[in-house]
Amino acid sequence: MQILLAGSVVLPLVGALAALLPAPPGLKGKNPDQAVLRHGVTVTGVVFAATLALAVGFDHAHPARMQATTDLSWIPALGIRIHLGVDGISLPLVVLTALLTFLCAVYSYFKMPTGPSPKAFVALLLVLESGTLATFAVLDLMLFFLAFEMVLIPMYFLIARWGGAGRQAAAWKFILYTLLGSVVMLLGLLLIGLKSGTFDMVALATDNGPKAQLSHTVQLVAVLAVGIGLAVKSPMWPLHSWLPDAHTAAPTVGSVLLAGVLLKMGTYGFVRIALPITPDGLHTVAPYLAALAAVGIVYGSLACLALVRTGAKGDLKRLIAYSSVGHMGFVLLGIASMTPTGINGALFANIAHGLITGLLFFLVGGLKDRLGSTDLDTLAGTTGAALYGRAPRFGGLLAFAAVASLGLPGLAGFWGEMLAMFGAFSPAAGLSRPAFLTFMALAGLGTLLTAAYLLLVVRRICMGGTLKAPTSPTEAGGPATAPALLDLAGYEYAAWGPLAVLTVLAGLWPAALLGLTNPAVQQLLGGGK
């Protein structure tokens, strides 16, 4: 188990280095580009298999206990250790990261984004995977910071070199926002480590450990500093403005990983660091965090409604990016409730958002490949997508992803948002219930607005514009009978199918995930008991 976890983190780095080297004789395939793309599929596939083996070997009877741990001294003078481990909170995120990266590698093998050498693309993809897996696996505050920052450079280059229009500005905005937030976060992590005498996250999570040395003032300052860096990555309104530009400019796989994995790093940090290590400080700021989350839910939905209206020239990728602001608002609202119900809902919503929004961005990439545009007015025009008639399986999958994203009961998106609102309905002791009831009401309004804009998206793209019936045989070949689009290809079934299946399974069997997270959440809230 130790080897599986450590190998999952290290193997992508080794694979990234190997991707830059010449392919060995006999493995070059038809050309070097095909060989390096196949290398990416192989490495990410092995890592995904390792995380599945880790999940199978995980002791599901004790999900609150850290398992597959590695604890080695690294910088003794500063007390920094190479400390790895997973519990019921981090294990689902580790598997989700490995799955999405593998599916992105498979998709890129058949649909490599336009840009420089595939060698650099595969190497950056693997470095990104290693940094993300490390973020969810490390148990030392300084290692967490290094892993948290490690993903920024590869994502910057994926946007700046393989992105679309406006990619340079979007990449710079992404890197500046996240770096500035991370500088403040580092100060908060150093404050915790210096005041407590350790950077060990497991020791700090216990009430009778070093955390006892952190006064309320220290906790409050630390949670504010750490929270800013985590909120930028989450992304929390009003620190979200880098996200729509980054998603709009990023290549398809960049958008999938950005929404499906990178946003989860911020909310995971709130649960792993802020909640157990600075509970008094988080309790003080929780009403403000919940208020910003509720505003983000409504704001994201209103922005999407503005983009989807006829004549707005809204971009579908940008719309899904704004929807992520709303969906991640539910995660932050659940965390701010500081209750087991709300936090379990937040963790469930994390996974559901990764599956559903990853699928949506894959589908938008497929639309752009087929029609050359993601402009909603173009896709909804009389010669636009009209997917139900021109590519029915593609249209059906897009409609499925949309109704999953709006939280239809029986699919994964429902449970997380419902539990997060239940947590706000009855927040932790000491938090203002009337205030949280107001936030819950705003979140409920957000669900209605979400249903409105997503159903409009389905109607406009899957059904197309209003077509005039042909009045003569010569008009019958006009826009009303536009030629068929290429429906789902085999590689698209392979890359997108697992996300659809898991969305259904998580919706029908939520206990599989909640059974992992709940004991670990109870232990975090109980001060390690």
Side-chain angles (χ1 to χ4, degrees):
M1 293 287 283
Q2 289 176 307
I3 294 173
L4 287 173
L5 181 59
S8 298
V9 174
V10 174
L11 181 59
L13 286 178
V14 177
L17 179 62
L20 299 174
L21 302 176
L27 296 179
K28 294 183 179 180
K30 297 178 182 178
N31 56 67
D33 290 351
Q34 185 192 51
V36 74
L37 291 171
R38 185 169 59 239
H39 169 78
V41 174
T42 303
V43 174
T44 56
V46 171
V47 172
F48 177 50
T51 60
L52 285 180
L54 185 67
V56 171
F58 188 81
D59 184 0
H60 292 262
H62 301 90
R65 179 169 56 86
M66 283 295 171
Q67 301 179 37
T69 55
T70 299
D71 192 1
L72 303 172
S73 179
W74 185 32
I75 307 177
L78 299 177
I80 300 175
R81 307 182 66 81
I82 299 176
H83 192 184
L84 306 176
V86 290
D87 62 358
I89 292 172
S90 53
L91 179 64
L93 291 167
V94 167
V95 177
L96 176 67
T97 299
L99 170 65
L100 285 176
T101 311
F102 172 60
L103 297 181
C104 285
V106 171
Y107 184 79
S108 299
Y109 181 80
F110 295 95
K111 275 290 181 183
M112 172 67 195
T114 303
S117 165
K119 282 190 173 184
F121 176 83
V122 171
L124 290 169
L125 189 68
L126 292 173
V127 172
L128 181 66
E129 178 180 36
S130 178
T132 312
L133 288 171
T135 302
F136 299 136
V138 296
L139 298 173
D140 183 277
L141 289 177
M142 288 297 100
L143 277 185
F144 176 86
F145 175 77
L146 293 176
F148 197 84
E149 297 305 292
M150 181 178 169
V151 305
L152 300 185
I153 300 303
M155 182 53 72
Y156 167 82
F157 281 109
L158 286 175
I159 297 172
R161 302 301 298 276
W162 285 271
R167 59 182 181 269
Q168 292 291 342
W172 275 112
K173 195 172 185 179
F174 163 75
I175 200 76
L176 289 175
Y177 263 75
T178 50
L179 275 178
L180 289 174
S182 297
V183 169
V184 182
M185 183 177 75
L186 176 60
L187 297 177
L189 296 177
L190 289 173
L191 176 64
I192 293 172
L194 294 176
K195 288 294 185 178
S196 64
T198 182
F199 292 104
D200 187 271
M201 293 159 69
V202 176
L204 285 165
T206 59
D207 283 343
N208 58 353
K211 183 176 70 175
Q213 303 177 36
L214 301 178
S215 65
H216 180 269
T217 302
V218 170
Q219 289 192 33
L220 181 59
V221 173
V223 80
L224 287 173
V226 173
I228 288 174
L230 298 175
V232 170
K233 191 69 72 73
S234 291
M236 182 184 74
W237 183 90
L239 303 175
H240 68 284
S241 60
W242 61 271
L243 184 70
D245 292 339
H247 270 308
T248 304
T252 297
V253 295
S255 293
V256 171
L257 292 175
L258 184 59
V261 177
L262 265 68
L263 303 189
K264 313 302 177 285
M265 294 165 59
T267 52
Y268 172 78
F270 275 108
V271 175
R272 180 63 73 195
I273 298 174
L275 183 69
I277 298 177
T278 58
D280 295 339
L282 183 60
H283 192 278
T284 300
V285 304
Y288 306 99
L289 177 62
L292 294 174
V295 171
I297 292 169
V298 177
Y299 169 84
S301 300
L302 292 175
C304 291
L305 280 172
L307 289 171
V308 80
R309 75 181 191 275
T310 303
K313 290 292 180 182
D315 186 279
L316 186 55
K317 288 186 74 175
R318 196 172 189 85
L319 182 145
I320 298 173
Y322 273 111
S323 78
S324 292
V325 176
H327 288 307
M328 297 310 289
F330 282 98
V331 178
L332 292 170
L333 178 62
I335 294 170
S337 74
M338 298 188 71
T339 62
T341 301
I343 296 165
N344 277 298
L347 294 171
F348 197 102
N350 257 347
I351 302 299
H353 180 264
L355 296 172
I356 298 167
T357 308
L359 177 57
L360 280 170
F361 275 116
F362 268 137
L363 288 161
V364 174
L367 269 180
K368 188 168 186 178
D369 291 337
R370 287 162 170 79
L371 295 168
S373 175
T374 54
D375 178 77
L376 277 163
D377 288 336
T378 301
L379 296 175
T382 55
T383 57
L387 292 178
Y388 285 156
R390 301 175 65 192
R393 289 188 292 275
F394 194 108
L397 188 57
L398 177 62
F400 166 82
V403 297
S405 185
L406 64 82
L408 184 73
L411 299 176
F414 170 74
W415 296 105
E417 295 181 1
M418 183 195 70
L419 291 173
M421 288 193 288
F422 277 175
F425 180 78
S426 182
L431 296 177
S432 171
R433 189 160 187 257
F436 272 81
L437 287 176
T438 302
F439 304 146
M440 184 194 72
L442 289 173
L445 173 63
T447 62
L448 298 177
L449 297 175
T450 300
Y453 73 74
L454 283 170
L455 291 176
L456 283 172
V457 166
V458 171
R459 186 180 73 82
R460 298 192 70 199
I461 296 179
C462 294
M463 299 177 187
T466 303
L467 303 180
K468 183 182 72 172
T471 58
S472 67
T474 58
E475 291 186 8
T481 55
L485 289 175
L486 176 66
D487 215 333
L488 292 178
Y491 70 91
E492 290 172 332
Y493 278 113
W496 307 347
L499 300 180
V501 171
L502 288 172
T503 297
V504 174
L505 290 178
L508 296 178
W509 191 23
L513 183 56
L514 294 174
L516 282 174
T517 61
N518 186 53
V521 167
Q522 296 281 0
Q523 181 165 300
L524 284 183
L525 290 173
K529 301 182 181 65

